[in-house]
Amino acid sequence: MPYTTYLVEKGASHSFVAEAKLPTVTMPRIKALMTGSLPGFIDVVRNLNSPALVEDNVITQAKAAGKRIIFYGDETWVKLFPKHFVEYDGTTSFFVSDYTEVDDNVTRHLDKVLKRGDWDVLILHYLGLDHIGHVSGPNSPLIGHKLREMDSVLMKIHTSLLSEERETLVPNLLVLCGDHGMSEAGGHGASSMEELNTALILISSAFERKPGDIRRPKHVQQTDLAATLAIGLGLPIPGNSVGSLLFPTVEGRPVREQLRFLHLNAVQLSKLLQENVPSYTKGSSAAPTEHPTGSEQQG
């Protein structure tokens, strides 16, 4: 993935190794990414027939704030968020032997949607790489071809966002992540390092990078993304989130803003502790009800 590699090593980005928790299957991992909480094993049973998500989450908060959200890809998202997207096209993950059409059905929308200005958040969930793993394993020659395809998709999206920014002067945020990893046999669902470790790359012109600035990927929790997205989009952090703000993403902001963002995260975690740990007592400082105002970044 030459373009992605360039962005990780020299571009305006922050990259992480995000650790997923058990079970490493799609539906509970999407829930973890969007709620910041830790779904249980009952979600393994529900994985193929996901009920609508009622727990506080970034998608629901974004919709409530008037954000226009478009989704293309794995239909699990449509089942979890049935009334949240202004436009969507879901693809089934049932036919694991299909690693071509499932992705073509997502990419075919890109040229048109990237030229439109009627959305705030665009979510794409590609299935092809996962399907190749299930059928042929991680060492299949098909993996390299699929990674190059995904690299070209990321380049198309990124260059389009940069072009838009030259007119709006407002930084966008592009997130590249996996919901779970892949075992040496090509599957997932268990607790091997290969299944738990996922890529998480945040790309934005707001993450200005000077020559010689080496940013080595830090190890974080997958649940940290929800709090980070909420703060970046000016939304309340989901109430049950156990995640921490990915601090490198705000290091370029004034110190006063950095402290405010960290305070918001601390207040939310403190409230969660109070509600779930009877013996917990917080300090004497008052807990504000504010959340970031205005959108620091578009999704």
Side-chain angles (χ1 to χ4, degrees), residues 7-299:
L7 290 176
V8 168
E9 294 180 349
K10 298 181 180 180
S13 69
H14 291 289
S15 55
F16 307 90
V17 177
E19 181 185 339
K21 299 298 184 185
L22 288 170
T24 50
V25 293
T26 296
M27 190 267 277
R29 301 280 45 89
I30 294 174
K31 289 174 71 172
L33 286 165
M34 293 296 101
T35 66
S37 63
L38 299 171
F41 276 89
I42 186 63
D43 288 319
V44 176
V45 179
R46 295 172 174 167
N47 192 49
L48 294 177
N49 189 25
S50 313
L53 181 60
V54 295
E55 186 179 351
D56 192 13
N57 63 83
V58 175
I59 301 294
T60 299
Q61 292 284 6
K63 184 177 185 293
K67 305 288 186 188
R68 299 159 298 178
I69 312 170
I70 292 178
F71 172 77
Y72 306 123
D74 188 334
E75 64 183 3
T76 304
W77 287 80
V78 181
K79 294 176 181 177
L80 287 171
F81 308 105
K83 298 180 180 179
H84 296 68
F85 306 128
V86 295
E87 180 180 313
Y88 64 87
D89 185 10
T91 55
T92 179
S93 60
F94 189 73
F95 302 103
V96 294
S97 60
D98 172 24
Y99 55 85
T100 304
E101 282 192 32
V102 285
D103 288 350
D104 290 346
N105 283 337
V106 177
T107 302
R108 66 190 178 95
H109 295 284
L110 280 183
D111 285 335
K112 288 184 178 180
V113 79
L114 290 174
K115 292 175 182 176
R116 291 160 43 185
D118 61 348
W119 55 271
D120 303 294
V121 179
L122 174 65
I123 302 171
L124 312 173
H125 187 140
Y126 283 89
L127 287 162
L129 193 63
D130 178 71
H131 286 189
I132 291 172
H134 281 295
V135 174
S136 306
N139 298 313
S140 166
L142 296 171
I143 292 283
H145 176 77
K146 180 58 69 173
L147 288 174
R148 286 190 292 274
E149 179 188 336
M150 293 298 98
D151 192 54
S152 67
V153 167
L154 184 129
M155 181 170 68
K156 178 192 286 282
I157 297 170
H158 188 227
T159 53
S160 174
L161 295 178
L162 290 177
S163 177
E164 177 193 296
E165 286 179 20
R166 285 192 283 270
E167 297 179 13
T168 64
L169 303 180
V170 177
N172 293 286
L173 174 65
L174 175 57
V175 179
L176 175 66
C177 66
D179 52 345
H180 52 72
M182 184 185 295
S183 72
E184 288 299 322
H188 55 90
S191 59
S192 70
M193 290 297 291
E194 292 79 11
E195 291 163 276
L196 295 175
N197 286 341
T198 68
L200 174 59
I201 307 170
L202 279 68
I203 304 158
S204 174
S205 55
F207 307 149
E208 187 178 352
R209 192 168 183 170
K210 297 176 181 178
D213 180 2
I214 299 174
R215 299 176 180 175
R216 303 192 185 283
K218 296 177 173 63
H219 282 256
V220 298
Q221 296 298 309
Q222 191 180 57
T223 47
D224 294 338
L225 182 62
T228 305
L229 288 179
I231 287 174
L233 289 166
L235 305 171
I237 298 172
N240 291 327
S241 171
V242 297
S244 301
L245 168 67
L246 295 170
F247 188 69
T249 63
V250 299
E251 282 182 322
R253 308 301 296 239
V255 173
R256 186 179 181 86
E257 284 191 29
Q258 293 181 30
L259 291 173
R260 184 167 70 93
F261 295 152
L262 290 171
H263 186 222
L264 290 167
N265 197 180
V267 167
Q268 176 264 320
L269 289 170
S270 175
K271 184 178 179 183
L272 183 65
L273 272 173
Q274 284 179 275
E275 293 172 350
N276 292 277
V277 182
S279 61
Y280 172 78
T281 57
K282 64 181 177 67
S284 58
S285 61
T289 58
E290 63 171 330
H291 57 80
T293 55
S295 175
E296 272 79 23
Q297 296 169 333
Q298 288 185 309

